[in-house]
Amino acid sequence: MPATLPVPIRFRLPDGWLPVRPEPGDGWAAAPDVAFAAVHPRPDAGFSANITIDGEIPVDAATLADLADDSVDHLREIARSVSVAARREVGSAEAPALTQRLTFSAVSGGVRRDLAQSQVYLSLTDVVDPHKRAVVRLALTATAAQHDAVLADFQEFLRTVRPDTGTEA
C-alpha cells in the first residue's frame, strides 16, 4: 500500500512516463514509504528508470542535510558502494531545498546493477501553522548509463511540483 504525503502537492509527469502503484514485493520493498511512483517507458538493460515521491514531518532540529544523510544511511543498508557524488543546498530561506546525487550498486530483477539516484528535498511550511514544516523527497533512480539521458525529464518534472492548496483549478 503506498504511503501518503504529509502535505498535498501537484505535479505533471514528463511525456511517456507511466504511473505505477509501488507495492512491496514488486521491486519496491526498498521504498516502503513511497507515496507515488512512475517509470520510464524504455528500460535500460532490464531496469526501468523511475521517479518516486515520499515525505515526512521531520523532528524540529532535523536539517535537510540531516535527512539527506539519513537517506544515504538507509541506502547503505540495501546497496553496495553508496557514494554521494554531489550535494548542494538550493532554494531560498523561505523555501529551502537540497539536491544530491548518489551512485551505488544494487540487485534489481536478480541482476546487480550500477545505479544513480538524483534526490531533491523540498521543505514546505504549513500554511495554517508556519511553525510546522514537512519535507517532500523527489527521486530519480536509473542505471548509471541511462541517468543523464533521463535527467532532463526529471528536471522538467521538478519544475511542475507545487503545493496543492486546493484553490487552483
Side-chain angles (χ1 to χ4, degrees):
M1 176 96 173
T4 57
L5 291 174
V7 293
I9 62 171
R10 295 176 347 134
F11 56 86
R12 186 177 45 80
L13 284 174
D15 289 341
W17 286 75
L18 307 167
V20 295
R21 187 173 174 91
E23 293 291 344
D26 247 358
W28 297 97
D33 298 329
V34 168
F36 177 84
V39 295
H40 191 268
R42 290 179 303 283
D44 176 46
F47 183 86
S48 294
N50 59 78
I51 294 173
T52 58
I53 304 173
D54 63 68
E56 64 183 288
I57 297 180
V59 295
D60 289 338
T63 65
L64 293 178
D66 292 336
L67 298 174
D69 287 341
D70 289 347
S71 181
V72 171
D73 291 342
H74 173 71
L75 191 55
R76 284 187 173 132
E77 293 173 6
I78 58 173
R80 290 187 188 164
S81 308
V82 178
S83 175
V84 179
R87 179 185 284 179
R88 67 178 212 189
E89 293 186 24
V90 295
S92 64
E94 298 79 33
L98 180 140
T99 65
Q100 72 177 3
R101 182 172 175 172
L102 308 175
T103 59
F104 57 98
S105 173
V107 174
S108 173
V111 176
R112 180 155 301 279
R113 302 171 191 281
D114 290 330
L115 302 173
Q117 185 175 80
S118 291
Q119 299 177 337
V120 177
Y121 293 81
L122 302 176
S123 182
L124 303 171
T125 303
D126 187 310
V127 292
V128 175
D129 183 354
H131 299 294
K132 291 182 184 176
R133 71 178 175 120
V135 174
V136 174
R137 180 177 64 162
L138 310 137
L140 166 69
T141 306
T143 62
Q146 189 182 31
H147 185 271
D148 290 347
V150 295
L151 185 58
D153 281 355
F154 184 58
Q155 292 167 334
E156 175 187 326
F157 162 74
L158 291 171
R159 285 190 287 276
T160 71
V161 175
R162 304 274 184 277
D164 188 351
T165 60
T167 59
E168 296 153 7

